[in-house]
Amino acid sequence: MPEPLSLDGAVETVRLVAGDAGQECWPHQLGLEGVASAGHLLRRVHEASRTWVPPADAVWAVPEEPAVSGSERVICHGDAQPANFAWSGGVAVGLFDWDSARPAPACSDVAYALEWLAPFEDDPQELARRGFADVPDRRGRVRAFLDGYGWAEPLDVVGAVVHRQQLAIEEVVHLGRAGHEPHASWVAQGWPARWRSKLVTTRRLAHQVDDEQVSER
């Protein structure tokens, strides 16, 4: 993740991580190597946080998540989607935009990343925007990410992704009601209700992901 350089009031300066990000991310995550590299980098980020003890008066933008059996609590990024990684040569090399960081089970970040990298999306136009010319091999991409991460515990992938999608919607509502932007505008425009369709899509694609090798690693 970017190296912190200075903090001047509410303005933090961090070192640039060279690479493509934002809308330039999509070509890098098309191959299984890119997917696996994102999992590997996320694991490194989680490992780096294990020995850090937050100050007793630490305040997080979103509520801490409760413990989950089989998933150690770490400092989760909270928004580990491809656009928030820095990519170089088809490999994830950095992770930025830590506004939603919080103590949480590691599976929270894993599930959030899998929503985007599987991806749990079947709208042809949206898939084309992300660079997919054909139907993604979602099962293979899930395996690549989990292998890159080194995930060794049983994982109900679809259940974890649906839970994380629900939580993401609740977090937008939480931040919107607190007056944070752009969340307040999203809530006013009714986006949380529309995003609930994502849960339907994820469940619809379950048969393309769920099998014994993925769910019972």
Side-chain angles (χ1 to χ4, degrees):
M1 51 187 159
E3 177 188 358
L5 297 178
S6 66
L7 183 63
D8 182 9
V11 178
E12 181 185 25
T13 301
V14 298
R15 190 177 303 280
L16 174 68
V17 177
D20 294 331
Q23 294 307 306
E24 297 178 347
C25 74
W26 302 116
H28 296 278
Q29 55 86 59
L30 288 176
L32 295 183
E33 179 185 5
V35 174
S37 74
H40 179 66
L41 179 60
L42 188 62
R43 176 61 178 265
R44 289 176 58 198
V45 168
H46 287 171
E47 289 294 331
S49 78
R50 292 183 191 278
T51 58
W52 180 67
V53 179
D57 60 349
V59 177
W60 307 92
V62 296
E64 297 184 30
E65 296 180 45
V68 172
S69 177
S71 185
E72 185 177 354
R73 277 165 63 89
V74 295
I75 302 301
C76 277
H77 177 272
D79 194 9
Q81 59 167 298
N84 286 338
F85 284 88
W87 301 82
S88 179
V91 174
V93 295
L95 184 60
F96 58 93
D97 195 2
W98 286 79
D99 294 358
S100 299
R102 88 298 293 277
C107 65
S108 178
D109 262 356
V110 168
Y112 191 96
L114 285 174
E115 174 189 349
W116 289 87
L117 287 165
F120 284 94
E121 173 62 68
D122 61 359
D123 178 76
Q125 290 186 334
E126 177 60 19
L127 289 174
R129 185 182 73 83
R130 300 187 192 185
F132 293 100
D134 300 305
V135 176
D137 174 13
R138 294 182 173 88
R139 185 172 292 129
R141 292 172 67 84
V142 168
R143 288 176 180 162
F145 183 87
L146 294 177
D147 286 345
Y149 185 93
W151 191 271
E153 301 296 330
L155 181 64
D156 173 5
V157 172
V158 174
V161 171
V162 167
H163 174 76
R164 189 61 184 84
Q165 288 173 319
Q166 291 174 321
L167 182 60
I169 294 170
E170 292 168 6
E171 289 173 354
V172 168
V173 173
H174 169 82
L175 292 169
R177 288 175 176 170
H180 291 272
E181 288 291 357
H183 310 86
S185 294
W186 291 341
V187 171
Q189 295 163 7
W191 279 104
R194 301 179 209 178
W195 287 331
R196 295 194 186 281
S197 65
K198 290 184 174 183
L199 280 62
V200 177
T201 301
T202 296
R203 294 188 179 103
R204 185 170 61 243
L205 295 173
H207 69 285
Q208 297 187 20
V209 171
D210 269 345
D211 68 1
E212 185 176 352
Q213 289 178 297
V214 171
S215 299
E216 301 181 8
R217 299 181 66 81

